Amino acid sequence: MKRKARSTPKGRQVNPQALAEVRALLGDEPRRRDLLIEHLHKINDRYGHLSAPHLAALAEEMQLAMAEVYEVATFYHHFEVVKEGETAPPALTVRVCDSIACELAGSDELLKKLPSVLGKDVRVLHAPCVGRCEVAPCVHVGQNPVGNATIETVKKAVDAKKTACPETKYIDYATYRNGGGYKLIADCLADKHTREGLTKMMEDSGLRGLGGAGFPVGRKWKSVAAEPEPRLMAVNIDEGEPGTFKDRWYLERDPHRFLEGMIVAAWAVGIAEVYIYLRDEYAGCRAILERELAALKKNPPCALPPIYLRRGAGAYICGEESAMIESIEGKRGMPRLRPPYVAQKGLFGRPTLEHNMESVYWVREIFEKGPEWFAGQGRNGRKGLRSFSVSGRVKKPGMHLAPAGITVKELIDEYCGGMLEGHQFYGYLPGGASGGILPATKSDIPLDFDTLQPHGCFIGSAAIVILSDKDKASKAAINLMKFFHDESCGQCTPCRVGTAKALQLMETRKWDQPLLKELSQAMMDASICGLGQAAPNPALTVMRYFPQEVE
């Protein structure tokens, strides 16, 4: 029997109007695969969501399979994918941060009350940490962060249509140049310094990676420089760890100190291209970097490598270096199996120098003041300075630059103005969500790399969250496990299933400690990346130091 001929071509048909709209948005931008996330942002920003016709049109325009576009669009929290037949979301979305610092400050009440107050024309969602823990609770009205939020201040921002991130004052390009900025990189390119000499200076300073892993900066430069050309650089400013906001703090004040340090590092390692990966929640920082990079490129102090700014889309997992690289390449942020390591085979398959933003922020100052200056800043036998993001029950939360090795008691008393009135120090998170929870009786431990591991914790990116006698460490651990469960990329079973099962066990009045410990060990042993490996730390430390809360 002869089959009847199809009236239309097989597969999804592209709507001509949607295709015209996508082409107009993309303009002359290249249609390369690695720009997929950037192009999805253009559509999402313009229409407030990603419709099925627009996704099909983008796939056609970029010569990609619809499945490739769809899997990326649905992976990231900030892309609003609307399937055929579904209703588009309201034009305005209000995101209420419910991570640990904001929960301590009352975000639960905001989440309960805001939907009825703001009405059906505004969508209210919970959000993972937005990186403004010093003004908790924080609410994003569109892209406008409302710090120390109340029902009244959020409603006022919505009614006034204040949805864009406000401008901040910072040291711009002209001011930075007038203060001696970019002299170091100009001198490097004029052969007044050597790559080897600058690398040794970083080694002598003792500067370690400040994104959490703490790998020595000078040694990393040497390692990547020994790899074959072309070599690339990826700067990680995803900063999604609950409690952490130091990178935003520096970017909002002195962006060119970071940019110059980045370019110097690229010169020292022989980097061909530089990619900056910035989390989507930092719309204000993105505007600053776009403006200042344009000023730098328009009137460069010397020859510059190609520098590209890439925008995240809401995924904590992209703080992991290989997941970030996948995202820069326009893919889902799924961590890679290692080896090979990114220093050997990273971005676009090339050897890659991966750095946290703050790691290169210190390069100019270390050069000008000498490595001995930086190495001599510590306390209790430790070396260097640390940028502590402090939040929770203290009078002066914020970013506090303090000596490495300072104790949490010294940090609270000398930098944070003491505990809030009516609150007694009870416990603390020494390293953000994944660094564990310690009791006040452990307040004399030097805060630095390698000092907290004997106690089942680590410092990570130095995010310190202070708990008081009005809080429960077990409740904080539940908040953190919810975060890890929501943010698991789902690639590996130990993390995907383990975080869900751990959360169920922790939400009971009495924890099944033997089972929870066994599950934690499986997650730590078998998870692909640091998310699953570190997710059990809060639960394990609560069982170790706060047993009265879970028995």
Side-chain angles (χ1 to χ4, degrees), residues 196-234:
E196 295 76 17
L198 205 59
T199 301
K200 187 174 188 308
M201 190 174 288
M202 293 303 111
E203 288 184 298
D204 292 344
S205 72
L207 179 66
R208 297 173 65 169
L210 297 171
F215 194 86
V217 168
R219 196 193 310 171
K220 182 179 282 192
W221 289 12
K222 271 187 175 179
S223 173
V224 179
E227 297 293 330
E229 294 181 323
R231 297 179 285 269
L232 305 179
M233 183 176 184

mmCIF file of all heavy atoms in Angstrom, residues 196-234:
data_model
loop_
_atom_site.group_PDB
_atom_site.id
_atom_site.type_symbol
_atom_site.label_atom_id
_atom_site.label_comp_id
_atom_site.label_asym_id
_atom_site.label_seq_id
_atom_site.Cartn_x
_atom_site.Cartn_y
_atom_site.Cartn_z
ATOM 1 N N GLU A 196 58.789 34.876 34.584
ATOM 2 C CA GLU A 196 59.309 34.054 35.675
ATOM 3 C C GLU A 196 59.409 34.847 36.972
ATOM 4 O O GLU A 196 59.084 34.337 38.059
ATOM 5 C CB GLU A 196 60.688 33.495 35.296
ATOM 6 C CG GLU A 196 60.687 32.533 34.120
ATOM 7 C CD GLU A 196 60.527 33.230 32.768
ATOM 8 O OE1 GLU A 196 60.732 34.476 32.711
ATOM 9 O OE2 GLU A 196 60.202 32.542 31.781
ATOM 10 N N GLY A 197 59.855 36.105 36.863
ATOM 11 C CA GLY A 197 59.993 36.938 38.058
ATOM 12 C C GLY A 197 58.653 37.226 38.713
ATOM 13 O O GLY A 197 58.520 37.183 39.946
ATOM 14 N N LEU A 198 57.647 37.516 37.883
ATOM 15 C CA LEU A 198 56.319 37.813 38.417
ATOM 16 C C LEU A 198 55.692 36.554 39.030
ATOM 17 O O LEU A 198 55.055 36.621 40.087
ATOM 18 C CB LEU A 198 55.428 38.365 37.306
ATOM 19 C CG LEU A 198 54.264 39.257 37.747
ATOM 20 C CD1 LEU A 198 54.769 40.471 38.504
ATOM 21 C CD2 LEU A 198 53.454 39.697 36.538
ATOM 22 N N THR A 199 55.890 35.427 38.387
ATOM 23 C CA THR A 199 55.360 34.175 38.918
ATOM 24 C C THR A 199 55.995 33.840 40.264
ATOM 25 O O THR A 199 55.314 33.415 41.203
ATOM 26 C CB THR A 199 55.602 33.032 37.921
ATOM 27 O OG1 THR A 199 54.956 33.347 36.682
ATOM 28 C CG2 THR A 199 55.063 31.715 38.456
ATOM 29 N N LYS A 200 57.303 34.047 40.384
ATOM 30 C CA LYS A 200 57.989 33.783 41.656
ATOM 31 C C LYS A 200 57.478 34.708 42.755
ATOM 32 O O LYS A 200 57.363 34.317 43.926
ATOM 33 C CB LYS A 200 59.493 33.943 41.503
ATOM 34 C CG LYS A 200 60.254 33.504 42.762
ATOM 35 C CD LYS A 200 61.739 33.528 42.587
ATOM 36 C CE LYS A 200 62.444 32.906 43.804
ATOM 37 N NZ LYS A 200 62.005 33.477 45.082
ATOM 38 N N MET A 201 57.157 35.946 42.382
ATOM 39 C CA MET A 201 56.620 36.888 43.363
ATOM 40 C C MET A 201 55.287 36.375 43.922
ATOM 41 O O MET A 201 55.030 36.466 45.133
ATOM 42 C CB MET A 201 56.441 38.254 42.701
ATOM 43 C CG MET A 201 56.127 39.377 43.664
ATOM 44 S SD MET A 201 56.107 40.993 42.856
ATOM 45 C CE MET A 201 57.860 41.233 42.560
ATOM 46 N N MET A 202 54.461 35.807 43.056
ATOM 47 C CA MET A 202 53.195 35.246 43.529
ATOM 48 C C MET A 202 53.453 34.043 44.440
ATOM 49 O O MET A 202 52.775 33.860 45.456
ATOM 50 C CB MET A 202 52.328 34.824 42.340
ATOM 51 C CG MET A 202 51.826 35.971 41.471
ATOM 52 S SD MET A 202 50.881 37.205 42.395
ATOM 53 C CE MET A 202 52.025 38.595 42.325
ATOM 54 N N GLU A 203 54.449 33.230 44.081
ATOM 55 C CA GLU A 203 54.796 32.082 44.922
ATOM 56 C C GLU A 203 55.285 32.543 46.292
ATOM 57 O O GLU A 203 54.880 32.006 47.334
ATOM 58 C CB GLU A 203 55.872 31.241 44.242
ATOM 59 C CG GLU A 203 55.382 30.454 43.034
ATOM 60 C CD GLU A 203 56.467 29.558 42.470
ATOM 61 O OE1 GLU A 203 57.506 30.087 42.035
ATOM 62 O OE2 GLU A 203 56.271 28.334 42.457
ATOM 63 N N ASP A 204 56.163 33.547 46.319
ATOM 64 C CA ASP A 204 56.728 34.031 47.580
ATOM 65 C C ASP A 204 55.678 34.675 48.477
ATOM 66 O O ASP A 204 55.821 34.676 49.711
ATOM 67 C CB ASP A 204 57.854 35.028 47.303
ATOM 68 C CG ASP A 204 59.067 34.373 46.660
ATOM 69 O OD1 ASP A 204 59.150 33.130 46.707
ATOM 70 O OD2 ASP A 204 59.909 35.108 46.091
ATOM 71 N N SER A 205 54.629 35.239 47.872
ATOM 72 C CA SER A 205 53.589 35.901 48.673
ATOM 73 C C SER A 205 52.732 34.894 49.427
ATOM 74 O O SER A 205 52.078 35.241 50.423
ATOM 75 C CB SER A 205 52.685 36.741 47.765
ATOM 76 O OG SER A 205 51.854 35.915 46.973
ATOM 77 N N GLY A 206 52.697 33.656 48.937
ATOM 78 C CA GLY A 206 51.828 32.659 49.565
ATOM 79 C C GLY A 206 50.377 32.794 49.150
ATOM 80 O O GLY A 206 49.499 32.132 49.729
ATOM 81 N N LEU A 207 50.084 33.620 48.133
ATOM 82 C CA LEU A 207 48.698 33.808 47.685
ATOM 83 C C LEU A 207 48.148 32.488 47.156
ATOM 84 O O LEU A 207 48.761 31.825 46.329
ATOM 85 C CB LEU A 207 48.647 34.875 46.579
ATOM 86 C CG LEU A 207 47.270 35.161 45.985
ATOM 87 C CD1 LEU A 207 46.347 35.789 47.022
ATOM 88 C CD2 LEU A 207 47.383 36.086 44.757
ATOM 89 N N ARG A 208 46.963 32.131 47.656
ATOM 90 C CA ARG A 208 46.291 30.916 47.215
ATOM 91 C C ARG A 208 44.952 31.267 46.597
ATOM 92 O O ARG A 208 44.394 32.338 46.838
ATOM 93 C CB ARG A 208 46.107 29.962 48.404
ATOM 94 C CG ARG A 208 47.429 29.493 48.978
ATOM 95 C CD ARG A 208 47.292 28.685 50.244
ATOM 96 N NE ARG A 208 46.602 27.415 50.038
ATOM 97 C CZ ARG A 208 46.555 26.442 50.955
ATOM 98 N NH1 ARG A 208 47.175 26.598 52.123
ATOM 99 N NH2 ARG A 208 45.907 25.324 50.723
ATOM 100 N N GLY A 209 44.448 30.366 45.761
ATOM 101 C CA GLY A 209 43.171 30.619 45.099
ATOM 102 C C GLY A 209 42.076 30.909 46.097
ATOM 103 O O GLY A 209 41.887 30.162 47.066
ATOM 104 N N LEU A 210 41.334 31.988 45.876
ATOM 105 C CA LEU A 210 40.371 32.464 46.862
ATOM 106 C C LEU A 210 38.926 32.161 46.476
ATOM 107 O O LEU A 210 38.002 32.793 46.966
ATOM 108 C CB LEU A 210 40.573 33.973 47.077
ATOM 109 C CG LEU A 210 41.957 34.319 47.662
ATOM 110 C CD1 LEU A 210 42.192 35.818 47.654
ATOM 111 C CD2 LEU A 210 42.105 33.754 49.071
ATOM 112 N N GLY A 211 38.746 31.181 45.593
ATOM 113 C CA GLY A 211 37.401 30.735 45.260
ATOM 114 C C GLY A 211 36.940 29.582 46.139
ATOM 115 O O GLY A 211 35.765 29.235 46.140
ATOM 116 N N GLY A 212 37.871 28.981 46.881
ATOM 117 C CA GLY A 212 37.499 27.904 47.788
ATOM 118 C C GLY A 212 38.518 26.789 47.871
ATOM 119 O O GLY A 212 38.769 26.244 48.938
ATOM 120 N N ALA A 213 39.142 26.436 46.729
ATOM 121 C CA ALA A 213 40.053 25.288 46.735
ATOM 122 C C ALA A 213 41.404 25.625 47.343
ATOM 123 O O ALA A 213 42.072 24.759 47.921
ATOM 124 C CB ALA A 213 40.244 24.760 45.317
ATOM 125 N N GLY A 214 41.862 26.860 47.205
ATOM 126 C CA GLY A 214 43.100 27.287 47.855
ATOM 127 C C GLY A 214 44.371 26.803 47.186
ATOM 128 O O GLY A 214 45.414 26.713 47.836
ATOM 129 N N PHE A 215 44.341 26.531 45.881
ATOM 130 C CA PHE A 215 45.538 26.085 45.180
ATOM 131 C C PHE A 215 46.496 27.268 45.028
ATOM 132 O O PHE A 215 46.076 28.365 44.658
ATOM 133 C CB PHE A 215 45.179 25.521 43.802
ATOM 134 C CG PHE A 215 46.283 24.743 43.153
ATOM 135 C CD1 PHE A 215 46.453 23.398 43.423
ATOM 136 C CD2 PHE A 215 47.170 25.359 42.281
ATOM 137 C CE1 PHE A 215 47.477 22.667 42.824
ATOM 138 C CE2 PHE A 215 48.193 24.646 41.680
ATOM 139 C CZ PHE A 215 48.352 23.292 41.959
ATOM 140 N N PRO A 216 47.790 27.107 45.326
ATOM 141 C CA PRO A 216 48.737 28.223 45.242
ATOM 142 C C PRO A 216 48.744 28.867 43.853
ATOM 143 O O PRO A 216 48.886 28.172 42.842
ATOM 144 C CB PRO A 216 50.081 27.570 45.563
ATOM 145 C CG PRO A 216 49.734 26.389 46.410
ATOM 146 C CD PRO A 216 48.434 25.879 45.872
ATOM 147 N N VAL A 217 48.603 30.192 43.814
ATOM 148 C CA VAL A 217 48.469 30.911 42.553
ATOM 149 C C VAL A 217 49.728 30.777 41.688
ATOM 150 O O VAL A 217 49.651 30.480 40.496
ATOM 151 C CB VAL A 217 48.143 32.401 42.813
ATOM 152 C CG1 VAL A 217 48.282 33.229 41.538
ATOM 153 C CG2 VAL A 217 46.725 32.529 43.376
ATOM 154 N N GLY A 218 50.896 31.007 42.277
ATOM 155 C CA GLY A 218 52.130 30.922 41.506
ATOM 156 C C GLY A 218 52.343 29.551 40.893
ATOM 157 O O GLY A 218 52.774 29.418 39.741
ATOM 158 N N ARG A 219 52.019 28.506 41.665
ATOM 159 C CA ARG A 219 52.179 27.147 41.153
ATOM 160 C C ARG A 219 51.210 26.877 40.000
ATOM 161 O O ARG A 219 51.540 26.189 39.033
ATOM 162 C CB ARG A 219 51.954 26.131 42.270
ATOM 163 C CG ARG A 219 52.486 24.732 41.914
ATOM 164 C CD ARG A 219 52.002 23.667 42.870
ATOM 165 N NE ARG A 219 52.212 24.022 44.266
ATOM 166 C CZ ARG A 219 51.713 23.312 45.279
ATOM 167 N NH1 ARG A 219 50.964 22.234 45.028
ATOM 168 N NH2 ARG A 219 51.935 23.676 46.521
ATOM 169 N N LYS A 220 50.001 27.429 40.093
ATOM 170 C CA LYS A 220 49.031 27.265 39.010
ATOM 171 C C LYS A 220 49.529 27.945 37.735
ATOM 172 O O LYS A 220 49.403 27.393 36.636
ATOM 173 C CB LYS A 220 47.665 27.824 39.414
ATOM 174 C CG LYS A 220 46.593 27.640 38.360
ATOM 175 C CD LYS A 220 45.243 28.194 38.805
ATOM 176 C CE LYS A 220 44.543 27.266 39.750
ATOM 177 N NZ LYS A 220 43.131 27.642 39.977
ATOM 178 N N TRP A 221 50.101 29.154 37.871
ATOM 179 C CA TRP A 221 50.641 29.842 36.696
ATOM 180 C C TRP A 221 51.712 28.995 36.017
ATOM 181 O O TRP A 221 51.743 28.854 34.793
ATOM 182 C CB TRP A 221 51.233 31.198 37.109
ATOM 183 C CG TRP A 221 50.202 32.219 37.489
ATOM 184 C CD1 TRP A 221 48.875 32.013 37.720
ATOM 185 C CD2 TRP A 221 50.431 33.609 37.705
ATOM 186 N NE1 TRP A 221 48.264 33.193 38.072
ATOM 187 C CE2 TRP A 221 49.195 34.182 38.073
ATOM 188 C CE3 TRP A 221 51.569 34.412 37.659
ATOM 189 C CZ2 TRP A 221 49.065 35.538 38.356
ATOM 190 C CZ3 TRP A 221 51.442 35.770 37.947
ATOM 191 C CH2 TRP A 221 50.207 36.336 38.287
ATOM 192 N N LYS A 222 52.613 28.431 36.822
ATOM 193 C CA LYS A 222 53.681 27.589 36.279
ATOM 194 C C LYS A 222 53.121 26.373 35.555
ATOM 195 O O LYS A 222 53.577 26.004 34.471
ATOM 196 C CB LYS A 222 54.601 27.123 37.410
ATOM 197 C CG LYS A 222 55.760 28.033 37.744
ATOM 198 C CD LYS A 222 56.661 27.348 38.764
ATOM 199 C CE LYS A 222 57.904 28.169 39.047
ATOM 200 N NZ LYS A 222 58.763 27.512 40.058
ATOM 201 N N SER A 223 52.144 25.757 36.176
ATOM 202 C CA SER A 223 51.567 24.534 35.627
ATOM 203 C C SER A 223 50.926 24.776 34.265
ATOM 204 O O SER A 223 51.168 24.023 33.309
ATOM 205 C CB SER A 223 50.538 23.968 36.605
ATOM 206 O OG SER A 223 49.842 22.883 36.057
ATOM 207 N N VAL A 224 50.117 25.827 34.166
ATOM 208 C CA VAL A 224 49.428 26.097 32.899
ATOM 209 C C VAL A 224 50.409 26.603 31.843
ATOM 210 O O VAL A 224 50.301 26.259 30.667
ATOM 211 C CB VAL A 224 48.271 27.096 33.109
ATOM 212 C CG1 VAL A 224 47.569 27.398 31.788
ATOM 213 C CG2 VAL A 224 47.265 26.549 34.123
ATOM 214 N N ALA A 225 51.385 27.411 32.256
ATOM 215 C CA ALA A 225 52.371 27.938 31.300
ATOM 216 C C ALA A 225 53.191 26.826 30.649
ATOM 217 O O ALA A 225 53.724 27.006 29.544
ATOM 218 C CB ALA A 225 53.298 28.929 31.992
ATOM 219 N N ALA A 226 53.280 25.687 31.307
ATOM 220 C CA ALA A 226 54.050 24.566 30.757
ATOM 221 C C ALA A 226 53.269 23.773 29.716
ATOM 222 O O ALA A 226 53.835 22.918 29.034
ATOM 223 C CB ALA A 226 54.477 23.633 31.892
ATOM 224 N N GLU A 227 51.957 24.064 29.583
ATOM 225 C CA GLU A 227 51.119 23.359 28.615
ATOM 226 C C GLU A 227 51.271 23.980 27.222
ATOM 227 O O GLU A 227 51.660 25.144 27.092
ATOM 228 C CB GLU A 227 49.651 23.406 29.054
ATOM 229 C CG GLU A 227 49.369 22.697 30.369
ATOM 230 C CD GLU A 227 49.547 21.196 30.289
ATOM 231 O OE1 GLU A 227 49.328 20.618 29.198
ATOM 232 O OE2 GLU A 227 49.922 20.595 31.325
ATOM 233 N N PRO A 228 50.941 23.239 26.166
ATOM 234 C CA PRO A 228 51.103 23.760 24.803
ATOM 235 C C PRO A 228 50.131 24.896 24.481
ATOM 236 O O PRO A 228 49.031 24.948 25.030
ATOM 237 C CB PRO A 228 50.834 22.545 23.917
ATOM 238 C CG PRO A 228 50.024 21.618 24.780
ATOM 239 C CD PRO A 228 50.503 21.825 26.178
ATOM 240 N N GLU A 229 50.549 25.790 23.606
ATOM 241 C CA GLU A 229 49.688 26.873 23.147
ATOM 242 C C GLU A 229 48.690 26.351 22.107
ATOM 243 O O GLU A 229 48.944 25.321 21.483
ATOM 244 C CB GLU A 229 50.548 27.992 22.544
ATOM 245 C CG GLU A 229 51.445 28.682 23.550
ATOM 246 C CD GLU A 229 52.266 29.803 22.916
ATOM 247 O OE1 GLU A 229 52.695 29.612 21.743
ATOM 248 O OE2 GLU A 229 52.461 30.829 23.569
ATOM 249 N N PRO A 230 47.576 27.077 21.879
ATOM 250 C CA PRO A 230 47.139 28.266 22.607
ATOM 251 C C PRO A 230 46.533 27.913 23.957
ATOM 252 O O PRO A 230 45.868 26.893 24.101
ATOM 253 C CB PRO A 230 46.087 28.872 21.664
ATOM 254 C CG PRO A 230 45.518 27.689 20.946
ATOM 255 C CD PRO A 230 46.647 26.730 20.767
ATOM 256 N N ARG A 231 46.790 28.765 24.936
ATOM 257 C CA ARG A 231 46.241 28.592 26.273
ATOM 258 C C ARG A 231 45.173 29.662 26.507
ATOM 259 O O ARG A 231 45.318 30.801 26.056
ATOM 260 C CB ARG A 231 47.357 28.714 27.318
ATOM 261 C CG ARG A 231 48.418 27.630 27.194
ATOM 262 C CD ARG A 231 49.507 27.786 28.225
ATOM 263 N NE ARG A 231 50.423 28.880 27.900
ATOM 264 C CZ ARG A 231 51.534 28.746 27.189
ATOM 265 N NH1 ARG A 231 51.852 27.567 26.671
ATOM 266 N NH2 ARG A 231 52.331 29.784 26.975
ATOM 267 N N LEU A 232 44.127 29.297 27.241
ATOM 268 C CA LEU A 232 43.022 30.217 27.504
ATOM 269 C C LEU A 232 42.908 30.478 29.001
ATOM 270 O O LEU A 232 43.518 29.785 29.811
ATOM 271 C CB LEU A 232 41.714 29.633 26.969
ATOM 272 C CG LEU A 232 41.693 29.224 25.489
ATOM 273 C CD1 LEU A 232 40.340 28.655 25.114
ATOM 274 C CD2 LEU A 232 42.048 30.405 24.596
ATOM 275 N N MET A 233 42.122 31.489 29.351
ATOM 276 C CA MET A 233 41.895 31.826 30.764
ATOM 277 C C MET A 233 40.407 31.992 31.003
ATOM 278 O O MET A 233 39.684 32.574 30.184
ATOM 279 C CB MET A 233 42.621 33.134 31.121
ATOM 280 C CG MET A 233 42.492 33.532 32.589
ATOM 281 S SD MET A 233 43.483 35.014 32.953
ATOM 282 C CE MET A 233 43.233 35.174 34.719
ATOM 283 N N ALA A 234 39.927 31.445 32.119
ATOM 284 C CA ALA A 234 38.527 31.587 32.515
ATOM 285 C C ALA A 234 38.475 32.114 33.942
ATOM 286 O O ALA A 234 39.050 31.506 34.849
ATOM 287 C CB ALA A 234 37.812 30.240 32.423
#
